[in-house]
Amino acid sequence: MEGKQAKRLIGAIPKIGIRPVIDGRRKGVREALEEQTMNMAKAAAKFLEENLRHPNGMPVECVIADTCIGGVAEAARAAEKFQKEGVGVSITVTPCWCYGTETMDMDPTIPKAVWGFNGTERPGAVYLAAVLAGYNQKGLPAFGIYGKDVQDADDTIIPEDVKEKLLRFAKAGLAVATMKGKSYLSIGSVSMGIAGSIVQESFFQDYLGMRNEYVDMTEIIRRIDEGIYDKEEYERALKWVKENCKEGKDNNPEEIQLTREEKDRNWEFVVKMTMIARDLMIGNPRLAEIGYGEEALGHNAIAAGFQGQRQWTDHFPNGDFMEAILNSSFDWNGIREPFIMATENDSLNAVPMLFGHLLTNTAQIFADVRTYWSPEAVKRVTGKKLTGRAENGIIHLINSGAATLDGTGEQMRDGKHVLKPFWEITEEEVKKCLEATSWRPANLEYFRGGGFSSNFLTRGGIPVTMSRLNIVKGLGPVLQIAEGYTVELPEDVHDILDQRTDPTWPTTWFAPRLTGKDSFKDVYSVMNNWGANHGSISYGHIGAELITLASMLRIPVNMHNVPEEKIFRPDAWNAFGTKDLEGADYRACANFGPLYK
């Protein structure tokens, strides 16, 4: 059904618009700058196109204005072109003085940045300062990019510090543009009173530009009972599952264990669930061919959540297999872009999962932020001392089996365990992820209807970022971020700690990077200040990218361990205070308000 570089959502894939702006004075000034200015735009476009891909694997395209922009008429022509071309992110470049308010990008919902060339021949820095003042005065926050070292006028090299900011801005801007107009699909409603599964439409609409869609969980039963799924795919999927998904030990007391026949029926059921949930999200043209045109359309959902507990799981097999496979970068159809599917319909964990996926192009781990283990507690319980990155304590990230199988850490790059964009994953790595996972019959005390939970242990040494979105009445949404590493414990230590929770579930041991102060003075403080029971775990240290993205959406960040020199927000944020950056972020977000309101 899918393959590499597959476009599966409705709507244009956003492009980056490059705006070369120029001093409008003719008879010598403009003419002398035309080639240099346009070459600067071409260099930026080339750099971005060579270094960025969309999460679906397709290359990022840049659109350059037809001419340099010396005044409002040419600015309007560029805006018209960008609108026709589907531009969702705007970067203005210039080596010289230009007329600020006459050349600026006035679209209020498109993330925008200005790169002012640091050269002495012409005052690019003067324009940068002037136009940023204009953006700020008009309430259109823009990012300022200015290289720290002076370059010669004919230098076409993009400095490393400028490259870093261009990429950080472009990734975040493309994430904003990609979410716009898409849907979050709730399959079911509120799970066990979890606040994140109380879906707040105003947040999705005002901050993300998204719509909300709702389907009762009985729709899955209807489609199973009436055969509204691709039967050929189902046979292929079930065969793949039997060959690749090994069943693990049943921890339930013997007297309540399901029979072999019941377990086999459960496998058939959860495979159908997985196909149907995917079809609900993105549609499936095969359904139209068998007479179900409405169902074939889907909900254009870039993310979804499944309520599951308890109305579903007290009677039907749980959603663990469905969630784990959808969140992975592969299934019976081969290697493909992962889906974003939140356990317990926790929409406020689905959003940072979506952020992480759009910023890194990788699968995201959904987990409970379950237990803080201090070095003292580990020593008391196991008799062993924590060492290495784990020496200050660890957080046990574990959930009932919805974590992506990419989270095993069995993908490799340069001899290190990583999570990769799907187009880099090999068939051998898929096999290793599957071999590292067993599917344990569900804990029937939790899940009376049965099912299977994925069970694996994440490899150590992987740089990851844990994030979470929370909504506070009167304040609105806030994002928290914790960069750190996965760690591996000695097998006997892991076994003792794992047995105290639920050994049928997948485990990631997480050691946040400490700063020695505030929420990151120790591991206990990270756990103690975490705002909810769930967290989204993304590959790589992407806290800086998340901060940039949050500022575009006007979501303040209330907790992070990102070095100050990496923080990149719109220039206007400086006006709200440069001493206390966290406080300035809150004030700026409150002042400008949600991006789409």
Side-chain angles (χ1 to χ4, degrees):
M1 182 179 164
E2 290 186 33
K4 292 188 186 302
Q5 301 185 15
K7 180 180 181 293
R8 63 190 184 197
L9 293 168
I10 301 161
I13 298 174
K15 299 174 184 176
I16 300 173
I18 310 290
R19 308 173 72 253
V21 296
I22 197 165
D23 191 323
R25 285 173 284 203
R26 304 277 181 170
K27 298 185 179 180
V29 177
R30 175 165 179 159
E31 290 83 352
L33 293 162
E34 289 277 10
E35 186 177 358
Q36 182 189 1
T37 305
M38 187 55 78
N39 284 343
M40 194 174 167
K42 289 176 180 176
K46 183 174 185 288
F47 168 71
L48 293 169
E49 288 182 344
E50 287 176 349
N51 287 277
L52 291 174
R53 277 211 214 183
H54 294 286
N56 61 14
M58 292 181 174
V60 168
E61 289 184 55
C62 291
V63 177
I64 302 175
D66 291 334
T67 67
C68 291
I69 300 168
V72 68
E74 288 161 321
R77 288 194 191 107
E80 182 182 36
K81 180 179 182 178
F82 286 1
Q83 189 175 29
K84 287 177 181 176
E85 291 276 356
V87 165
V89 184
S90 158
I91 300 177
T92 298
V93 302
T94 188
C96 61
W97 168 254
C98 319
Y99 305 154
T101 58
E102 296 179 28
T103 58
M104 63 196 296
D105 173 6
M106 292 291 290
D107 191 316
T109 62
I110 288 184
K112 48 187 62 60
V114 184
W115 171 25
F117 184 78
N118 186 358
T120 55
E121 289 81 359
R122 298 280 184 177
V126 179
Y127 169 74
L128 178 62
V131 78
L132 289 174
Y135 279 120
N136 297 346
Q137 194 166 321
K138 290 176 179 290
L140 301 169
F143 290 76
I145 301 174
Y146 182 58
K148 67 175 184 285
D149 293 322
V150 172
Q151 294 178 262
D152 297 329
D154 59 354
D155 191 347
T156 57
I157 294 171
I158 303 176
E160 290 304 313
D161 60 324
V162 172
K163 284 182 179 178
E164 185 178 343
K165 288 184 174 179
L166 282 171
L167 281 178
R168 188 161 294 150
F169 168 80
K171 283 181 185 176
L174 286 169
V176 171
T178 301
M179 288 185 285
K180 186 179 181 181
K182 308 303 189 302
S183 305
Y184 175 80
L185 174 64
S186 298
I187 305 175
S189 183
V190 179
S191 173
M192 301 186 296
I194 291 171
S197 59
I198 305 170
V199 178
Q200 293 206 9
E201 286 206 350
S202 58
F203 164 70
F204 280 91
Q205 181 177 321
D206 294 348
Y207 285 88
L208 307 182
M210 289 173 58
R211 68 167 70 212
N212 295 86
E213 291 282 286
Y214 304 89
V215 175
D216 193 273
M217 290 184 290
T218 55
E219 176 64 6
I220 293 175
I221 294 300
R222 182 181 81 89
R223 294 194 185 199
I224 289 176
D225 289 350
E226 297 185 20
I228 308 174
Y229 54 87
D230 183 341
K231 311 295 193 306
E232 291 178 14
E233 183 189 359
Y234 166 67
E235 295 301 331
R236 186 172 73 252
L238 190 62
K239 181 174 184 290
W240 182 88
V241 167
K242 287 178 178 177
E243 291 173 354
N244 293 282
C245 299
K246 61 186 179 189
E247 195 174 301
K249 179 185 173 187
D250 192 336
N251 273 30
N252 293 293
E254 281 191 29
E255 62 273 16
I256 66 168
Q257 287 182 11
L258 301 181
T259 65
R260 182 67 261 162
E261 186 180 357
E262 289 171 321
K263 288 176 181 175
D264 288 343
R265 283 202 300 269
N266 273 359
W267 275 117
E268 294 170 3
F269 191 95
V270 299
V271 169
K272 291 174 185 175
M273 277 180 72
T274 307
M275 292 170 51
I276 289 167
R278 178 206 62 204
D279 292 351
L280 283 166
M281 287 182 72
I282 64 167
N284 185 347
R286 280 285 293 133
L287 301 184
E289 295 171 16
I290 60 173
Y292 295 97
E294 181 183 359
E295 291 85 348
L297 297 174
H299 292 267
N300 202 33
I302 197 171
F306 179 68
Q307 175 195 330
Q309 298 189 74
R310 287 187 40 216
Q311 287 77 11
W312 179 273
T313 54
D314 279 3
H315 187 66
F316 294 113
N318 64 20
D320 288 5
F321 177 83
M322 170 188 74
E323 293 159 1
I325 290 296
L326 287 175
N327 280 320
S328 298
S329 298
F330 49 83
D331 59 18
W332 43 84
N333 290 315
I335 300 168
R336 46 101 177 122
E337 181 187 357
F339 292 83
I340 299 299
M341 170 67 78
T343 302
E344 295 156 349
N345 195 27
D346 187 349
S347 63
L348 297 187
N349 214 52
V351 170
M353 287 173 74
L354 180 57
F355 289 175
H357 175 55
L358 294 175
L359 290 170
T360 68
N361 300 336
T362 59
Q364 305 295 297
I365 300 172
F366 182 109
D368 278 358
V369 184
R370 189 109 182 169
T371 311
Y372 161 65
W373 279 100
S374 68
E376 295 77 15
V378 172
K379 183 77 185 296
R380 175 179 60 81
V381 169
T382 69
K384 300 288 180 68
K385 184 179 179 181
L386 292 175
T387 59
R389 287 197 173 108
E391 67 180 348
N392 295 306
I394 47 178
I395 295 175
H396 196 177
L397 303 176
I398 181 171
N399 193 270
S400 64
T404 170
L405 270 58
D406 299 53
T408 57
E410 294 296 337
Q411 298 160 18
M412 303 293 290
R413 184 187 294 123
D414 300 328
K416 295 179 180 178
H417 297 282
V418 298
L419 279 72
K420 293 180 179 179
F422 76 87
W423 57 85
E424 294 181 19
I425 298 171
T426 66
E427 293 289 350
E428 183 61 29
E429 287 169 332
V430 170
K431 188 177 177 184
K432 286 184 177 179
C433 290
L434 289 162
E435 286 174 349
T437 306
S438 66
W439 296 90
R440 306 287 292 271
N443 179 337
L444 295 175
E445 290 182 0
Y446 275 105
F447 305 115
R448 299 174 195 168
F452 299 92
S453 297
S454 63
N455 176 237
F456 62 75
L457 177 60
T458 302
R459 292 278 197 167
I462 302 173
V464 293
T465 302
M466 183 167 77
S467 61
R468 168 74 192 184
L469 188 82
N470 299 294
I471 291 179
V472 179
K473 187 174 176 64
L475 172 63
V478 289
L479 184 69
Q480 38 188 186
I481 299 164
E483 294 183 343
Y485 291 87
T486 65
V487 295
E488 286 185 46
L489 305 180
E491 189 174 347
D492 56 341
V493 175
H494 164 76
D495 287 343
I496 292 169
L497 302 185
D498 200 38
Q499 289 294 332
R500 291 176 68 111
T501 301
D502 192 316
T504 69
W505 298 348
T507 280
T508 303
W509 295 109
F510 175 58
R513 191 179 68 242
L514 302 178
T515 64
K517 58 184 181 180
D518 303 322
S519 300
F520 291 89
K521 68 181 178 183
D522 49 37
V523 180
Y524 170 78
S525 297
V526 176
M527 178 78 179
N528 197 40
N529 284 284
W530 205 248
N533 54 311
H534 292 148
S536 167
I537 296 85
S538 180
Y539 173 69
H541 287 159
I542 62 163
E545 286 76 8
L546 285 167
I547 287 172
T548 296
L549 173 57
S551 68
M552 290 178 178
L553 300 168
R554 323 287 160 72
I555 298 172
V557 177
N558 74 310
M559 169 181 169
H560 73 81
N561 56 347
V562 177
E564 191 171 304
E565 63 273 13
K566 285 193 164 188
I567 295 174
F568 188 38
R569 290 180 170 124
D571 178 78
W573 266 237
N574 295 327
F576 292 87
T578 55
K579 219 172 194 181
D580 170 17
L581 297 186
E582 184 172 280
D585 183 33
Y586 272 77
R587 291 187 289 274
C589 289
N591 178 73
F592 291 111
L595 182 59
Y596 299 103
K597 191 166 183 179

